[in-house]
Amino acid sequence: MIGRAAAAWLLRALAAALLLVPAVARAHHVPGHGASEGVRTINSLNGAGGRANTRLLLINEFVYTGFGLNPGTMDSLSIVGEYAPRPWLSMALQAPLLMFRAADTNGETRVGYGDTRVQLRFTPHASKLIHRVFTAGLNASIPTRTVRFTVDPGPIVAIAPYAVFTRTYMTWYWQTLAISAVDIRRAGVAIDFGVSGQVGARLASGKVNLGFGLLLDTRLAAWCASPEGGREFCPGNRAGELFRELGTFRGTGLMAVAYNFHRRGSLVGSVQVPFTRIRDYTIGWSLGLQMFF
């Protein structure tokens, strides 16, 4: 069990993270953007260190957006099943139930299935390197979403290769992530790139992992759909986007916590707070339960 002092410290840290929510908003949240892909990848790795695993993860991801083209709250309850036939290779499938409450339609709640995600992770030298773990992966989003937004982007195909390096010590650990997201929709194709750095510690005799970090992402290139047909390179926004011009920069603060109640089970949670003037949502958080096999 976690001591009272440790629990109080965790509650104070969470409250401090929530107080960091900035007041200025200059963009909007649309499913499939690069920052979301980076956040989803980090959330799916929470407590796993990036290593290929066989596990079952039940995770709820919440996003609140108080501005832009699609203001409201979005809740995604997902089951993630990951299977590792070899210690260095794993495959995963994420099936989400999506709930969206639009602020511009008197609180109407739309419920349906979200976009299915498939994942592949490769951990070379998994049996040799314990404290230095490098993982390369590939995420893909399949357009199965049935929920429609007020300004709807239509079907989205997203392909996101990434690389993760995790270094652990007796108490401390740090992790870096680089991810690129190729977003394909009716309005055109866009390429985003993001990097993340996190540092954390194992507390309460290893039962609690607490980490803080940053996620930075930018738009590298875009090809907008032409009214005459085809696509052409465009430095501005695709239709249905705001403040996504080439070189636009977004930053997000991250906090993650994992309570390891068993050597094969843990509760995981996270908070994501944008801190730049250009952003895609107001605040996000996740809570999950995972079992390793």
Side-chain angles (χ1 to χ4, degrees):
M1 297 295 292
I2 304 177
R4 291 184 178 180
W9 190 87
L10 289 175
L11 289 175
R12 287 196 297 268
L14 178 59
L18 292 175
L19 290 174
L20 291 175
V21 179
V24 181
R26 293 295 182 88
H28 71 292
H29 175 77
V30 173
H33 65 74
S36 280
E37 193 60 44
V39 167
R40 290 170 185 151
T41 300
I42 291 171
N43 287 343
S44 71
L45 296 175
N46 191 1
R51 185 186 301 273
N53 281 287
T54 296
R55 61 174 177 155
L56 187 64
L57 168 65
L58 177 66
I59 186 169
N60 185 82
E61 296 171 289
F62 172 89
V63 172
Y64 167 67
T65 307
F67 52 87
L69 300 176
N70 287 306
T73 60
M74 186 160 59
D75 212 1
S76 178
L77 179 63
S78 301
I79 295 178
V80 182
E82 184 173 5
Y83 173 63
R86 296 288 185 272
W88 46 268
L89 176 67
S90 69
M91 298 159 283
L93 178 71
Q94 180 173 356
L97 174 67
L98 193 63
M99 292 159 280
F100 178 68
R101 176 170 293 180
D104 56 353
T105 57
N106 298 321
E108 173 193 356
T109 301
R110 308 164 193 176
V111 181
Y113 189 73
D115 286 336
T116 304
R117 298 179 73 234
V118 293
Q119 306 168 48
L120 182 68
R121 283 201 278 173
F122 175 68
T123 310
H125 312 296
S127 60
K128 300 178 181 179
L129 300 179
I130 299 175
H131 299 292
R132 297 176 177 86
V133 179
F134 172 78
T135 297
L138 180 68
N139 298 335
S141 180
I142 303 170
T144 54
R145 177 171 53 91
T146 62
V147 177
R148 295 292 176 260
F149 300 95
T150 304
V151 180
D152 197 273
I156 299 173
V157 176
I159 302 172
Y162 66 90
V164 180
F165 180 78
T166 305
R167 177 68 169 96
T168 60
Y169 303 90
M170 290 296 295
T171 300
W172 296 94
Y173 67 89
W174 56 268
Q175 186 176 70
T176 58
L177 166 74
I179 184 168
S180 179
V182 180
D183 180 292
I184 306 168
R185 59 182 71 177
R186 291 168 181 165
V189 179
I191 301 176
D192 291 348
F193 179 75
V195 294
S196 174
Q198 300 181 76
V199 62
R202 292 191 294 271
L203 309 172
S205 301
K207 288 187 176 295
V208 176
N209 292 350
L210 182 64
F212 296 89
L214 299 175
L215 172 66
L216 309 175
D217 91 296
T218 186
R219 173 62 54 85
L220 292 182
W223 292 264
C224 297
S226 173
E228 295 78 18
R231 300 188 183 102
E232 58 184 18
F233 184 82
C234 58
N237 299 289
R238 296 175 296 176
E241 288 185 321
L242 294 174
F243 301 100
R244 300 293 292 183
E245 297 89 350
L246 266 63
T248 49
F249 173 81
R250 286 154 297 279
T252 305
L254 309 170
M255 187 187 83
V257 60
Y259 172 51
N260 308 305
F261 58 86
H262 189 271
R263 66 185 182 89
R264 294 187 180 275
S266 62
L267 289 170
V268 294
S270 69
V271 176
Q272 302 90 39
V273 182
F275 60 85
T276 52
R277 290 172 62 87
I278 296 177
R279 65 192 63 177
D280 295 293
Y281 53 89
T282 304
I283 188 172
W285 60 264
S286 72
L287 182 64
L289 169 66
Q290 63 182 354
M291 300 297 296
F292 296 94
F293 303 95

